C-alpha cells in the first residue's frame, strides 16, 4: 500500500499533526499512474513556512508507524525563491494579473518567499540485482534499507523521489489567502541503471547550488536531463564540449588578430562599433531576463572583447592627467579613408530602412506589451532592434569586401570558429531555455555566414605572398643561425 502524508515538521514519530492526502491500496510497483489531489495548506506554511510530504510503502491494513517492514522517504513540497517581478503596461499602469495591493506590499521583490511544488514524482526500483557485500556502490547503499526480524534480514523496496522533475515553471507562490493547492502525484517503476544515473545527476545539480548557482540556473540543467531523450542528451554533451572549445578558440584568435592589427584598411569601423553596441545590449538583455549562465557567460566575455576592439578600431589612447582621463583618437591614412567612404555609403542606405522600423517597433511594444520597468522596456526595444535588424549591420562589411574585391583583411581563423559555433547554437536553440528573439538570431547569422563564404570563394587569398595591406599569412618564424 502507498500512502502520502503532509506535515509541517521534517520528522514525525507518530500520527499527530499529519494529513493523509493520498492512499493507493493494492499498490502494484509494475503499474504507472498519475493522480492530482488537493492538499490543505496549514497556516504556518501560508506564513512563509514549509510543508513536507512523507511517502510510505507498507503492508495493507496497517498504519505505517505500526508496520515493522515499512519504508518511507521525505520530500519538501515547498521551496524558497525570489518571486518574478510583476509586469505592467508602462503607460496605463495596468498589471498582467490583478492582485491585491496590500498583499503585493507585504513581500519585497528581493526577498525569497515560499513557493509550492505542484509535482511529486515517485519511483520504485524493480530490477533484481546481486552485489558483493564488501563493494556495494555508495549510491545504491544510500537508498537501501533492511530490517532484521528474528534471524531473517528483509531487504525493503528501494523508494526514490525524482527531484529532477521539480521544475521552476511548475512552482506557485503561496499566498496567505490560499487554503488548498493542487498536487500531482505520479509513479513509475525505475531500472537499476537509470536509478544510479538519476542519483548522480541529482547530486550534480545539488553541487551546482552549493557553488552559488541559483535555483533558476540549476533548473536549466534539470531541463536538459528531464526534457531530453537520453540519446539526444549524449549528443548534447558532445556538442557542448565542441561549443566550449570553439568559443575559446574564437576568442583566442580574435584577440590575437586585433592585437596585431595596425591599420583599419578594408575593415568596416561602423560594423565594429555596431557589433560592440549590439553585444553589450544583448548581454544586458540576457541579464535582465535571468537567462541561463550557459548563455550569459559567453555573452559577457564577448562584450568585453568587443569593447576592446572598438578601442583598437578608433585608435583610442587614454592618458591620465592626475585623476582625470583624457581620450585621444588617432588619424587615418588615405587607404583607410577610402574604406571609411565605402562604409559610410553602405550605412546611409541602411539607415533609411533601419531607424523607422526600430522606432516604430519600440512604440508598438510600449502600447501593447507589459514590462517590469522602463529599463526593461528600453533594453527590450534595443535588443529587438538588434535581433530583427542586427544582421543588416553585418552588410557594410560585405559591401566593403565587394568594393575592394578582397577578403584578405578579415580575421578568418576567428571567423571560422565563430561560424562553427553559429551552427552549434542552432542545436542549442532547441535545447537551452532562452528568449525567443535570441533563438531566432541564431538562425539569422547562418544567412550572413553563407554570403561571407561566397565572397571567400569569389576573392581567394594567396597566402604565399604579401597582400595589398602589407600582411603575410605564412611568414616563417625566424630561426637561430647555426
Amino acid at each position: 500500500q502507498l500512502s502520502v502524508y503532509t506535515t509541517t515538521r521534517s520528522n514525525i514519530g507518530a500520527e499527530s499533526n499529519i494529513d493523509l492526502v493520498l492512499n493507493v491500496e493494492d499498490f502494484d510497483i509494475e503499474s504507472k499512474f498519475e493522480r492530482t489531489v488537493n492538499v490543505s495548506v496549514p497556516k504556518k506554511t501560508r506564513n512563509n513556512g514549509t510543508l513536507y510530504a512523507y511517502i510510505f510503502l507498507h503492508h495493507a491494513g496497517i498504519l505505517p508507524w505500526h508496520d515493522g517492514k515499512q519504508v518511507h522517504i521525505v520530500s519538501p513540497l515547498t521551496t524558497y525563491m525570489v518571486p518574478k517581478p510583476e509586469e505592467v503596461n508602462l503607460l496605463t499602469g495596468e498589471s498582467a494579473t490583478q492582485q491585491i495591493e496590500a498583499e503585493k506590499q507585504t513581500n519585497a521583490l528581493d526577498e525569497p518567499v515560499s513557493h509550492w511544488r505542484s509535482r511529486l514524482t515517485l519511483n520504485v526500483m524493480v530490477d533484481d540485482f546481486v552485489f558483493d557485500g564488501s563493494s556495494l556502490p555508495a549510491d545504491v547503499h544510500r537508498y537501501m534499507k533492511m530490517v532484521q526480524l528474528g534471524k531473517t534480514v528483509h531487504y525493503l523496496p528501494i523508494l526514490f523521489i525524482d527531484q529532477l522533475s521539480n521544475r521552476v515553471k511548475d512552482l506557485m507562490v503561496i499566498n496567505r489567502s490560499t487554503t488548498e493547492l493542487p498536487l500531482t502525484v505520479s509513479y513509475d517503476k525505475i531500472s537499476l541503471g537509470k536509478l544510479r544515473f538519476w542519483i548522480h545527476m541529482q547530486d550534480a545539480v545539488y553541487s551546482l547550488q552549493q557553488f552559488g548557482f541559483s535555483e533558476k540556473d540549476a533548473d536549466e540543467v534539470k531541463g536538459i536531463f528531464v526534457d531530453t531523450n537520453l540519446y539526444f542528451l549524449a549528443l548534447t554533451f558532445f556538442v557542448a564540449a565542441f561549443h566550449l572549445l570553439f568559443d575559446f578558440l574564437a576568442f583566442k584568435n580574435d584577440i590575437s588578430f586585433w592585437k596585431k592589427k595596425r591599420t583599419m584598411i578594408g575593415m568596416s569601423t561602423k560594423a565594429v562599433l555596431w557589433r560592440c553596441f549590439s553585444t553589450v545590449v544583448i548581454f544586458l538583455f540576457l541579464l535582465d531576463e535571468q537567462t541561463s549562465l550557459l548563455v550569459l557567460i559567453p555573452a559577457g566575455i564577448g562584450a568585453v572583447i568587443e569593447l576592446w576592439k572598438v578601442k583598437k578600431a578608433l585608435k583610442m589612447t587614454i592618458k591620465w592627467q592626475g585623476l582625470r582621463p583624457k581620450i585621444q583618437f588617432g588619424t587615418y591614412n588615405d587607404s583607410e579613408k577610402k574604406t571609411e567612404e565605402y562604409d559610410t555609403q553602405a550605412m546611409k542606405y541602411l539607415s533609411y530602412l533601419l531607424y523607422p522600423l526600430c522606432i516604430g517597433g519600440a512604440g508598438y511594444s510600449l502600447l501593447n506589451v507589459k514590462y517590469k520597468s522602463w529599463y526593461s522596456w528600453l533594453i527590450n526595444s534595443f535588443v529587438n532592434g538588434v535581433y530583427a535588424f542586427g544582421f543588416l549591420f553585418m552588410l557594410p562589411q560585405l559591401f566593403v569586401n565587394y568594393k575592394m574585391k578582397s577578403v584578405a583583411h578579415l580575421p578568418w581563423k576567428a571567423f571560422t570558429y565563430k561560424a562553427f559555433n553559429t551552427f552549434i547554437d542552432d542545436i542549442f536553440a532547441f535545447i537551452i531555455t532562452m528568449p525567443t528573439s535570441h533563438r531566432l538570431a541564431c538562425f539569422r547569422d547562418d544567412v550572413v555566414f553563407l554570403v561571407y563564404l561566397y565572397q571567400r570563394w569569389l576573392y581567394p587569398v594567396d597566402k604565399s605572398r604579401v597582400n595589398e595591406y602589407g600582411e603575410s599569412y605564412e611568414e616563417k618564424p625566424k630561426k637561430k643561425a647555426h
Side-chain angles (χ1 to χ4, degrees), residues 262-267 269 313 315 330-341 404 468-470:
R262 297 289 179 266
T263 173
M264 284 298 292
I265 300 172
M267 298 292 291
T269 305
K315 300 183 178 180
T331 57
Y332 294 110
N333 58 34
D334 291 339
S335 298
E336 288 176 316
K337 287 177 181 176
K338 188 177 179 182
T339 302
E340 196 67 23
E341 286 176 13
M404 304 193 81
E468 60 267 42
Y469 309 112

Side-chain angles (χ1 to χ4, degrees), residues 144-148 153-156:
M144 280 187 67
K145 293 182 174 67
M146 58 193 78
V147 61
Q148 185 167 356
V153 175
H154 296 270
Y155 290 87
L156 303 179

Side-chain angles (χ1 to χ4, degrees), residues 151-294:
K151 294 183 179 180
T152 307
V153 175
H154 296 270
Y155 290 87
L156 303 179
I158 295 180
L159 182 61
F160 178 72
I161 294 182
D162 182 3
Q163 300 288 1
L164 294 180
S165 297
N166 290 329
R167 303 294 307 282
V168 168
K169 63 184 179 182
D170 297 324
L171 295 179
M172 303 163 60
V173 179
I174 300 177
N175 298 318
R176 293 185 178 179
S177 57
T178 306
T179 56
E180 279 192 347
L181 284 169
L183 176 66
T184 301
V185 181
S186 57
Y187 167 79
D188 197 4
K189 62 184 181 181
I190 191 170
S191 65
L192 176 63
K194 187 176 180 181
L195 172 69
R196 296 186 64 187
F197 178 72
W198 239 230
I199 290 172
H200 286 296
M201 291 304 102
Q202 288 189 176
D203 289 346
V205 171
Y206 178 75
S207 298
L208 289 177
Q209 292 174 306
Q210 297 305 303
F211 278 113
F213 280 66
S214 68
E215 179 92 16
K216 192 174 188 303
D217 294 322
D219 185 68
E220 303 296 344
V221 180
K222 286 182 184 178
I224 292 175
F225 294 117
V226 175
D227 298 340
T228 311
N229 180 281
L230 283 178
Y231 296 106
F232 195 51
L233 182 61
L235 175 64
T236 303
F237 277 119
F238 182 71
V239 169
F242 274 98
H243 191 281
L244 289 173
L245 174 65
F246 289 139
D247 259 341
F248 171 75
L249 292 173
F251 288 145
K252 173 182 173 292
N253 283 280
D254 210 17
I255 292 169
S256 177
F257 174 84
W258 281 90
K259 194 175 181 181
K260 297 175 185 175
K261 196 74 177 168
R262 297 289 179 266
T263 173
M264 284 298 292
I265 300 172
M267 298 292 291
S268 171
T269 305
K270 289 183 174 60
V272 174
L273 286 169
W274 168 255
R275 200 156 48 241
C276 175
F277 170 75
S278 61
T279 307
V280 171
V281 166
I282 287 170
F283 173 71
L284 293 174
F285 169 68
L286 295 174
L287 195 64
D288 185 58
E289 291 287 319
Q290 298 179 337
T291 308
S292 168
L293 288 177
L294 298 172

Side-chain angles (χ1 to χ4, degrees), residues 36-78:
T36 300
V37 294
N38 288 324
V39 178
S40 177
V41 183
K43 185 178 180 181
K44 184 179 178 181
T45 305
R46 296 200 299 269
N47 291 328
N48 219 20
T50 56
L51 191 67
Y52 296 93
Y54 272 76
I55 302 95
F56 289 92
L57 275 180
H58 58 100
H59 281 107
I62 306 176
L63 289 174
W65 34 88
H66 296 156
D67 183 6
K69 294 183 183 178
Q70 59 85 12
V71 59
H72 72 274
I73 196 165
V74 185
S75 176
L77 292 176
T78 56

Side-chain angles (χ1 to χ4, degrees), residues 34 58 73 101 144 151 192 196 215 240 299 301 306 360 369 379 382 396 408 410 414 417 459 478:
E34 182 172 293
H58 58 100
I73 196 165
E101 196 66 27
M144 280 187 67
K151 294 183 179 180
L192 176 63
R196 296 186 64 187
E215 179 92 16
I301 296 172
E306 292 298 334
V369 183
I379 288 294
F382 275 136
L410 295 177
Y417 292 129
Y459 314 127
K478 293 179 180 180

Side-chain angles (χ1 to χ4, degrees), residues 204-463:
V205 171
Y206 178 75
S207 298
L208 289 177
Q209 292 174 306
Q210 297 305 303
F211 278 113
F213 280 66
S214 68
E215 179 92 16
K216 192 174 188 303
D217 294 322
D219 185 68
E220 303 296 344
V221 180
K222 286 182 184 178
I224 292 175
F225 294 117
V226 175
D227 298 340
T228 311
N229 180 281
L230 283 178
Y231 296 106
F232 195 51
L233 182 61
L235 175 64
T236 303
F237 277 119
F238 182 71
V239 169
F242 274 98
H243 191 281
L244 289 173
L245 174 65
F246 289 139
D247 259 341
F248 171 75
L249 292 173
F251 288 145
K252 173 182 173 292
N253 283 280
D254 210 17
I255 292 169
S256 177
F257 174 84
W258 281 90
K259 194 175 181 181
K260 297 175 185 175
K261 196 74 177 168
R262 297 289 179 266
T263 173
M264 284 298 292
I265 300 172
M267 298 292 291
S268 171
T269 305
K270 289 183 174 60
V272 174
L273 286 169
W274 168 255
R275 200 156 48 241
C276 175
F277 170 75
S278 61
T279 307
V280 171
V281 166
I282 287 170
F283 173 71
L284 293 174
F285 169 68
L286 295 174
L287 195 64
D288 185 58
E289 291 287 319
Q290 298 179 337
T291 308
S292 168
L293 288 177
L294 298 172
V295 177
L296 193 62
I297 291 175
I301 296 172
V304 172
I305 293 174
E306 292 298 334
L307 287 167
W308 172 72
K309 282 160 64 173
V310 165
K311 177 179 175 293
K312 294 281 290 185
L314 298 179
K315 300 183 178 180
M316 292 170 56
T317 54
I318 301 174
K319 294 184 178 180
W320 291 88
Q321 296 178 342
L323 296 174
R324 189 177 62 181
K326 183 180 180 182
I327 300 175
Q328 294 180 338
F329 295 92
T331 57
Y332 294 110
N333 58 34
D334 291 339
S335 298
E336 288 176 316
K337 287 177 181 176
K338 188 177 179 182
T339 302
E340 196 67 23
E341 286 176 13
Y342 296 145
D343 198 11
T344 305
Q345 187 181 351
M347 287 299 300
K348 178 184 174 183
Y349 300 133
L350 285 178
S351 63
Y352 296 147
L353 173 68
L354 186 69
Y355 298 139
L357 287 173
C358 286
I359 293 170
Y364 176 83
S365 63
L366 183 63
L367 291 170
N368 297 282
V369 183
K370 297 177 175 62
Y371 294 100
K372 293 177 285 188
S373 63
W374 284 97
Y375 169 77
S376 185
W377 167 76
L378 188 65
I379 288 294
N380 271 270
S381 299
F382 275 136
V383 88
N384 284 333
V386 167
Y387 283 141
F389 316 114
F391 74 99
L392 296 177
F393 281 90
M394 300 179 189
L395 302 184
Q397 184 64 63
L398 297 176
F399 186 74
V400 169
N401 296 345
Y402 164 73
K403 283 288 188 179
M404 304 193 81
K405 300 293 186 291
S406 173
V407 294
H409 42 265
L410 295 177
W412 279 101
K413 271 189 180 180
F415 181 71
T416 303
Y417 292 129
K418 287 181 180 178
F420 278 123
N421 265 358
T422 296
F423 291 117
I424 291 173
D425 284 337
D426 295 345
I427 299 173
F428 270 117
F430 294 104
I431 299 172
I432 295 178
T433 303
M434 60 180 73
T436 305
S437 48
H438 193 75
R439 182 173 281 120
L440 291 173
C442 293
F443 300 106
R444 175 206 72 193
D445 295 339
D446 298 346
V447 179
V448 180
F449 168 63
L450 293 174
V451 179
Y452 273 117
L453 276 184
Y454 173 70
Q455 287 190 328
R456 173 77 167 176
W457 171 80
L458 199 60
Y459 314 127
V461 180
D462 183 2
K463 294 187 177 183

